[in-house]
Amino acid sequence: MDQPIVTPPTEQQLTLLESLGTPAFFDHFLNWLQHQLLSDQCMIFFCPDGEHVSTLLYKDFSHDASARQLAMAYISERQYLHDPNFDKLRHCQPDQLITEHYGVLSGNMGLHYRNRFFEQPGFLDKWSVICHSDSGNYYINLYSRRGYFRPLFNNSQQQEQGIARLLALLVSKHYLLNNQLLNQGPLAFLSERERQVCEAVLAGKKSETIAHDLTISPSSVVTYKKRAYDKLGICSRAQLFALCR
């Protein structure tokens, strides 16, 4: 009898798993999405209470500014209320895994919403995965400008569900292992000092107070803030509040 062939995990997969619960996870996770699932943009949102939505991750592999603008509009303008998936996100239950494709949802979108989040950025397809956790519900969105996601799964519902489950496990277990990253939202991308400065700005503190609290010079506060804003794709305190609301 022929023995089954066991395929060893790739170095990329092992590195991704090893990084769970650490800030390094984001880079490995996004790299995997870009090269294995051919994603052009990734957005991850979190709904802790069935009402409010916050941003955990945003990345456009071609247009960084576009991803930031869309994430800010989605949250600060409460555009999530017009998302056809919002009710599914609010009411996702334990042991439930929801997947949706853009083609199925597009007929339920308002013209303004479709134009802003799909036509203007040039997306042909979107694949969404919604899953439940004890802390709240995760909303993972992959977008493509080059084609459609179904062929990646060989048009197999079973294969699609398997990849969806893997995505849901990676994201939910990552934040379960390091719940502090969940509270940090998009600031989790930053270095410790950059994040501390941004959190102090969000708390309404002035540069002099931040410098005193962190025992660094006022000029260092300016430097850390500039680096953080550059990474986040923003240029003002108001945009920081809008992104982290």
Side-chain angles (χ1 to χ4, degrees):
M1 177 182 291
D2 292 336
Q3 294 294 316
I5 298 174
V6 178
T7 303
T10 66
E11 283 298 319
Q12 184 185 43
Q13 293 168 338
L14 291 172
T15 301
L16 176 58
L17 292 173
E18 288 172 346
S19 68
L20 280 168
T22 74
F25 169 80
F26 299 110
D27 284 340
H28 298 306
F29 179 67
L30 290 169
N31 185 58
W32 179 70
L33 294 180
Q34 183 183 21
H35 293 99
Q36 296 300 314
L37 296 182
L38 304 182
S39 175
D40 291 309
Q41 179 176 282
C42 173
M43 297 277 196
I44 300 180
F45 300 102
F46 183 66
C47 183
D49 55 8
E51 296 296 333
H52 302 92
V53 178
S54 60
T55 308
L56 294 181
L57 184 152
Y58 63 91
K59 177 66 177 180
D60 190 305
F61 297 103
S62 301
H63 311 288
D64 274 335
S66 174
R68 184 261 303 170
Q69 291 166 359
L70 293 176
M72 287 179 61
Y74 191 79
I75 299 301
S76 64
E77 299 174 19
R78 303 185 73 191
Q79 289 292 328
Y80 55 83
L81 296 176
H82 304 289
D83 187 338
N85 276 331
F86 182 53
D87 277 342
K88 298 182 182 72
L89 175 62
R90 294 173 62 195
H91 301 301
C92 186
Q93 299 298 307
D95 300 321
Q96 186 178 17
L97 183 66
I98 301 171
T99 62
E100 292 287 359
H101 288 268
Y102 171 66
V104 176
L105 298 170
S106 59
N108 296 323
M109 290 180 186
L111 292 176
H112 176 74
Y113 186 91
R114 184 189 300 117
N115 181 62
R116 187 163 193 181
F117 290 95
F118 292 90
E119 294 176 3
Q120 287 185 8
F123 296 125
L124 295 176
D125 198 14
K126 170 189 175 182
W127 183 51
S128 301
V129 177
I130 300 171
C131 64
H132 175 85
S133 77
D134 290 340
S135 301
N137 294 339
Y138 293 96
Y139 186 24
I140 307 162
N141 297 283
L142 305 184
Y143 301 79
S144 175
R145 295 185 177 93
R146 295 171 284 178
Y148 299 90
F149 287 105
R150 286 192 190 277
L152 295 177
F153 315 125
N154 295 319
N155 294 309
S156 164
Q157 184 68 22
Q158 182 178 6
Q159 189 166 337
E160 178 178 341
Q161 284 293 308
I163 298 298
R165 186 181 178 196
L166 176 59
L167 274 175
L169 285 170
L170 285 171
V171 171
S172 60
K173 296 304 180 185
H174 169 66
Y175 287 107
L176 177 64
L177 288 169
N178 193 335
N179 193 255
Q180 184 179 0
L181 294 175
L182 184 62
N183 298 327
Q184 291 170 4
L187 301 186
F189 287 105
L190 308 177
S191 72
E192 183 178 2
R193 277 295 193 217
E194 292 163 353
R195 177 179 50 76
Q196 288 173 335
V197 168
C198 284
E199 288 175 342
V201 171
L202 290 168
K205 296 181 179 180
K206 302 296 185 182
S207 293
E208 294 77 9
T209 304
I210 298 173
H212 177 269
D213 290 348
L214 298 180
T215 62
I216 58 178
S217 67
S219 62
S220 294
V221 172
V222 174
T223 299
Y224 286 125
K225 185 164 65 172
K226 182 179 184 307
R227 289 178 184 172
Y229 284 12
D230 286 345
K231 289 181 181 179
L232 293 169
I234 60 177
C235 57
S236 70
R237 178 175 173 272
Q239 289 181 324
L240 178 65
F241 272 91
L243 187 62
C244 298
R245 182 177 176 177

